Amino acid sequence: MWQILAIVSALFSASAAVLEKKALLKNDPLAFSLFVSVLTAVFTLPFLLNADFEAISIISVLVLFFKSILGAGAFLLVMYGLKYNELSNSLPLLVFTPALVAVMAFFILKENIGGAGIAGMFLLLIGTYFLQIDKSGDWRSPFYFVKRNKAQWFILGAIALFSTTTILDKSLLRDFRFPPEIFLPFQQIFYSLVFLVAFLITKKNHRALAQQFKQSWKPILVVAVLAVVYRYAHILAMKAGPVALVLSIKRTSVFFATIIGGHYFREQNLIRRSISVLVMVAGVIIILLSNL
């Protein structure tokens, strides 16, 4: 069951990524993140109607708040990465996240990786390597991808934050037994607060904020709806399945986003990048089969 939920999360996440890229062509990443978070929070409020608030504690809420700060930072970094880099070049790097999560889960959550899991993560690394080879074919070029495109720093930062938040997600759902019906709305409310504070601190133009929403409210609305689905499905899958495997399946979303988004935005080297992502997806499949 958790496998199906993870796949649903992946498909809706891929759709959201393409729309996010489109909206970010005309929007500031911070303003866009604030819009999406507020709308998503509103859409998740009905989850609280039949929620069991006695199942949560002050400590668990504080942990969720801390985790949400990191999660909001990761989301914002991805939005900056999508705005200033090609979708088919930046998003696939997130497939490397499950490898880091698997290692962290082994030491923190005591979840075993296994030989096949290591082999799958190796394919993730290989796919990432070939993804970053430049047009000259120089085998050393992947080691300089950040130097070639500084926007990749945003994605690398997001990977580090996502690895931490994923472990905290699993801990909240398993150890603190945080109900998913409360988890999602609270998380979105915290996201909204974080982005609002960041917006006020940066003193961005409020009139420009209203203008951006007026121009892009349709894709923002759709992204918010998609976010409710893929985040809730992800939480349910995370609660039931091994954390690294759930994230591995969810990251197959980058394959669909790379193919669809890369074609839509007419990005370069799409065939090579798609093959690289297929190698990475193969690694994900091996990881999945190793635990069936």
Side-chain angles (χ1 to χ4, degrees):
M1 182 62 181
W2 65 265
Q3 293 94 332
I4 296 176
L5 289 169
I7 292 173
V8 170
S9 180
L11 292 174
F12 278 80
S13 180
S15 301
V18 176
L19 288 174
E20 286 165 355
K21 175 64 176 179
K22 180 179 180 180
L24 286 166
L25 295 175
K26 298 180 180 180
N27 287 276
D28 172 71
L30 179 55
F32 176 78
S33 299
L34 176 59
F35 293 145
V36 171
S37 295
V38 171
L39 282 177
T40 305
V42 171
F43 293 152
T44 58
L45 290 179
F47 284 86
L48 298 175
L49 294 178
N50 296 316
D52 180 16
F53 289 96
E54 293 183 358
I56 63 176
S57 64
I58 295 179
I59 295 178
S60 63
V61 173
L62 290 175
V63 173
L64 178 59
F65 178 69
F66 172 72
K67 173 260 167 187
S68 298
I69 294 176
L70 300 181
F75 183 82
L76 181 60
L77 287 173
V78 171
M79 294 304 101
Y80 272 103
L82 291 180
K83 182 176 180 63
Y84 296 112
N85 196 6
E86 292 184 341
L87 180 71
S88 59
N89 191 37
S90 57
L91 202 59
L93 287 176
L94 293 176
V95 177
F96 192 64
T97 311
L100 296 179
V101 171
V103 174
M104 295 175 66
F106 176 77
F107 290 103
I108 299 175
L109 301 176
K110 308 303 180 182
E111 292 184 352
N112 190 25
I113 300 174
I118 294 176
M121 288 187 288
F122 181 72
L123 286 180
L124 293 178
L125 180 61
I126 293 297
T128 304
Y129 170 81
F130 282 105
L131 183 71
Q132 298 299 332
I133 294 179
D134 61 20
K135 295 180 180 180
S136 67
D138 185 357
W139 65 272
R140 297 171 298 179
S141 61
F143 300 102
Y144 305 109
F145 73 94
V146 174
K147 184 177 181 181
R148 295 199 317 269
N149 191 338
K150 294 183 179 180
Q152 297 289 41
W153 280 111
F154 295 126
I155 303 300
L156 293 178
I159 290 173
L161 290 177
F162 275 137
S163 299
T164 303
T165 58
T166 301
I167 298 298
L168 290 175
D169 283 341
K170 184 65 176 183
S171 179
L172 282 166
L173 294 167
R174 186 190 69 180
D175 303 327
F176 288 94
R177 300 185 182 278
F178 211 107
E181 293 73 22
I182 303 178
F183 188 107
L184 182 60
F186 274 33
Q187 174 183 260
Q188 295 307 134
I189 293 172
F190 292 153
Y191 278 177
S192 300
L193 291 175
V194 171
F195 289 131
L196 178 60
V197 171
F199 184 83
L200 294 175
I201 291 176
T202 54
K203 298 181 180 179
K204 291 184 177 293
N205 190 306
H206 291 70
R207 292 183 179 179
L209 181 69
Q211 184 64 25
Q212 288 181 39
F213 184 77
K214 183 178 180 179
Q215 292 178 347
S216 307
W217 70 268
K218 290 182 179 180
I220 291 172
L221 180 63
V222 176
V223 168
V225 173
L226 293 173
V228 173
V229 177
Y230 80 73
R231 287 176 180 172
Y232 187 56
H234 176 71
I235 290 172
L236 293 178
M238 188 74 67
K239 181 180 180 180
V243 57
L245 299 187
V246 172
L247 189 59
S248 295
I249 296 177
K250 182 184 177 181
R251 288 301 180 227
T252 57
S253 63
V254 303
F255 172 71
F256 302 106
T258 296
I259 300 299
I260 299 172
H263 178 74
Y264 179 82
F265 296 109
R266 298 180 180 180
E267 297 179 353
Q268 299 178 350
N269 301 319
L270 186 58
I271 294 179
R272 176 176 60 79
R273 292 175 181 176
S274 298
I275 294 175
S276 299
V277 173
L278 280 175
V279 173
M280 300 165 84
V281 171
V284 170
I285 292 175
I286 289 177
I287 293 174
L288 175 60
L289 294 178
S290 68
N291 283 262
L292 290 179

